[in-house]
Amino acid sequence: MLKDCDWSIDRDYKTGSENEPLQFYLDGLANSTEFDLLLGYFSSSAINLLSVGFATFISKGGKMKMVINHLLSQKDKEAIEKANHEGINNVFDLTDVVSLGRVLDEYDVHFFECLTYLIREKRIEIKVIKPRDGKGIAHYKSGVLSDGQDFVGYKASCNFTLYGLSENLEELEAFLSWENGRSNKLIKKQLKIMDDYFTENDNDVEYIPVNEIEVVLKDRFV
């Protein structure tokens, strides 16, 4: 449960400190069943890096929803595309935390097969967006974790990528729903923004079909 986690006392996380952003994600995933992400860049390399926490999350029935921008690696784009087609042969036991952890810990063909399967089974849902009137990209870096009762929201400087979580100097601020009214308001606002994107009720963005996702990262798993 999220209340049982040993969160940073000041709710701040910073690279190089005793409270790393990476640890926030590992603790949160291991103690939640829902994870809503409002992102800019996404790379499945982040799931690979968080394989231990993510395997626990999935094995407990966890579901992830992500709003991301339209710039993906070729491998990630292919995994999303394959999930939209019939005839996926590989079936993974999503309750077996040990075998699931092994698959997610190796960034190889089985990892991407598992990613495709998770998307196909709606354990990972993805909505791709970009600004409707502009040349920029979606560049959010926030999210909300839930265990069904309590919520932990956050805003961060780091992208949900390998470099964002492990290489760069980054910071993250967490908000615990059971602490105060401000935290609750921030979390509810985050959830409303994400819900509007997923239901395509925000008219300021374009909703991008999979075949129009731009591949700019090629085979670099950043």
Side-chain angles (χ1 to χ4, degrees):
M1 303 294 284
L2 291 171
K3 277 188 176 180
D4 298 328
C5 288
D6 186 20
W7 303 109
S8 166
I9 293 176
D10 59 5
R11 311 308 182 220
D12 284 334
Y13 294 78
K14 184 175 289 187
T15 305
S17 72
E18 61 179 342
N19 296 300
E20 294 269 355
L22 181 63
Q23 192 60 48
F24 168 86
Y25 287 103
L26 289 170
D27 290 342
L29 281 167
N31 289 279
S32 61
T33 54
E34 294 179 22
F35 190 17
D36 293 345
L37 285 160
L38 185 58
L39 301 176
Y41 293 108
F42 161 73
S43 170
S44 61
S45 58
I47 294 176
N48 173 243
L49 180 66
L50 297 167
S51 59
V52 174
F54 195 75
T56 302
F57 172 78
I58 291 295
S59 69
K60 294 192 304 181
K63 294 183 178 182
M64 176 183 287
K65 294 173 72 174
M66 297 189 295
V67 176
I68 66 175
N69 71 31
H70 58 294
L71 308 177
L72 288 174
S73 72
Q74 183 67 42
K75 294 287 188 180
D76 286 344
K77 180 183 178 182
E78 288 173 359
I80 296 171
E81 285 178 326
K82 288 177 182 177
N84 292 326
H85 298 302
E86 298 294 331
I88 294 178
N89 298 319
N90 298 80
V91 177
F92 295 85
D93 183 355
L94 301 183
T95 65
D96 187 340
V97 65
V98 176
S99 63
L100 191 58
R102 290 198 190 104
V103 171
L104 296 175
D105 190 49
E106 297 295 331
Y107 208 50
D108 57 11
V109 64
H110 298 296
F111 172 91
F112 287 99
E113 289 173 348
C114 186
L115 180 63
T116 294
Y117 186 72
L118 288 168
I119 298 170
R120 178 68 181 275
E121 294 297 303
K122 297 191 181 302
R123 302 297 289 276
I124 298 177
E125 295 184 69
I126 299 173
K127 180 68 69 172
V128 185
I129 66 170
K130 68 178 181 179
R132 181 174 298 279
D133 298 313
K135 298 180 180 179
I137 59 172
H139 205 242
Y140 298 111
K141 305 177 187 73
S142 65
V144 177
L145 295 147
S146 173
D147 59 15
Q149 293 183 330
D150 297 302
F151 298 84
V152 173
Y154 75 90
K155 291 189 176 182
S157 65
C158 45
N159 290 310
F160 200 68
T161 64
L162 175 63
Y163 278 87
L165 297 182
S166 66
E167 300 293 334
N168 298 338
L169 295 176
E170 306 281 5
E171 60 182 357
L172 179 152
E173 182 181 5
F175 311 98
L176 313 186
S177 65
W178 57 91
E179 282 197 324
N180 55 56
R182 177 178 180 270
S183 293
N184 252 319
K185 287 180 180 178
L186 286 169
I187 290 168
K188 287 179 180 179
K189 183 178 180 180
Q190 286 175 292
L191 291 173
K192 176 65 165 58
I193 292 171
M194 285 184 274
D195 184 63
D196 284 346
Y197 283 142
F198 259 90
T199 55
E200 300 191 1
N201 284 324
D202 189 310
N203 296 321
D204 292 327
V205 301
E206 292 183 44
Y207 301 94
I208 310 301
V210 172
N211 64 343
E212 291 183 20
I213 292 173
E214 297 178 23
V215 179
V216 296
L217 302 181
K218 304 302 180 185
D219 290 325
R220 293 177 57 222
F221 305 134
V222 298

